[in-house]
Amino acid sequence: NSAMAGDNEDDYEPIPRLDTCCCCIQLKLGVLILCVLQMIVAGCFIALIGSFILWGGSLGNELPLVGGAFTLLALLIILILQLAEFGFALYAFSDIRKAMPDGIRYYYMFKLVSLGLSLLVFILTSDWTSYEIFNLFVTTTVSLYFIWCIWSLHEALMLGGEAAFKAGFSLDEASQNSPLLSNVRKFDDKFAPKAKESAFV
């Protein structure tokens, strides 16, 4: 389910903004669940790859969860990405709970960079079997959709008002923490008294 940020052509955005996650879950709740799942998956990858690097002989010659990326350099890159994934997901989770946009913005930016690096690792290490190509297509498609969800939540919070309310934020959160609405309030506080004075002159 997606919606444009505005109701007329002047508010048109080139990328549609989602109102829900997976068509049925409130966007805020969906991204919170995504953050938790990403932290769990990242933690499993960190433990698995760390164990393989330290005690590789005891785990065999292959890492089934890493696909074709079996070189030490590729494993180190994936390990660093998973550590960063955990940190950014935790940051986003915290800021979503506080209705602050920074952690959400940094998270979807990181996800884009992480996706690009993952594709690079795949190109350098893959055997290009049909299974690996299919797996790449599925994981890339899912990653892009989740990035879209995170970006949509960020945009809804930035817009505030009805957009933030539909995404799952309360009216108080939507009005207090939206940077765009904060700028409007500052403008009104600055110029409204002067406008009233000029009206009585």
Side-chain angles (χ1 to χ4, degrees), residues 28 49 89 99 101 156:
K28 176 185 174 182
I49 297 174

Side-chain angles (χ1 to χ4, degrees), residues 175-189:
S175 60
Q176 292 177 7
N177 295 321
S178 169
L180 295 181
L181 293 181
S182 297
N183 290 335
V184 172
R185 285 196 298 270
K186 290 178 182 178
F187 180 86
D188 290 340
D189 293 340

Side-chain angles (χ1 to χ4, degrees), residues 132-172:
E132 289 180 350
I133 294 174
F134 175 76
N135 185 59
L136 175 68
F137 173 78
V138 172
T139 56
T140 301
T141 301
V142 172
S143 295
L144 287 174
Y145 178 76
F146 285 142
I147 291 170
W148 190 15
C149 290
I150 300 167
W151 173 85
S152 296
L153 184 66
H154 174 265
E155 292 300 298
L157 186 55
M158 290 289 289
L159 289 169
E162 184 181 0
F165 182 72
K166 285 182 178 180
F169 295 100
S170 67
L171 292 176
D172 289 338

Side-chain angles (χ1 to χ4, degrees), residues 27-180:
L27 191 58
K28 176 185 174 182
L29 178 60
V31 177
L32 283 172
I33 294 173
L34 171 64
C35 289
V36 172
L37 292 177
Q38 289 290 344
M39 284 189 282
I40 293 173
V41 172
C44 292
F45 266 104
I46 291 168
L48 180 65
I49 297 174
S51 299
F52 183 83
I53 292 174
L54 294 176
W55 306 288
S58 61
L59 297 179
N61 297 322
E62 292 187 353
L63 275 174
L65 294 179
V66 186
F70 299 135
T71 66
L72 180 60
L73 177 61
L75 289 177
L76 288 175
I77 292 174
I78 295 174
L79 178 61
I80 293 172
L81 286 176
Q82 293 303 318
L83 287 168
E85 176 82 48
F86 187 92
F88 278 104
L90 181 60
Y91 184 22
F93 182 88
S94 175
D95 270 14
I96 292 171
R97 296 291 301 275
K98 295 183 289 187
M100 300 298 292
D102 290 346
I104 311 171
R105 178 172 63 253
Y106 293 140
Y107 190 37
Y108 81 73
M109 292 173 64
F110 164 76
K111 293 289 286 183
L112 286 172
V113 173
S114 175
L115 179 59
L117 290 176
S118 297
L119 291 174
L120 178 62
V121 169
F122 177 87
I123 292 172
L124 295 176
T125 61
S126 176
D127 295 328
W128 293 96
T129 63
S130 57
Y131 170 79
E132 289 180 350
I133 294 174
F134 175 76
N135 185 59
L136 175 68
F137 173 78
V138 172
T139 56
T140 301
T141 301
V142 172
S143 295
L144 287 174
Y145 178 76
F146 285 142
I147 291 170
W148 190 15
C149 290
I150 300 167
W151 173 85
S152 296
L153 184 66
H154 174 265
E155 292 300 298
L157 186 55
M158 290 289 289
L159 289 169
E162 184 181 0
F165 182 72
K166 285 182 178 180
F169 295 100
S170 67
L171 292 176
D172 289 338
E173 291 173 333
S175 60
Q176 292 177 7
N177 295 321
S178 169
L180 295 181

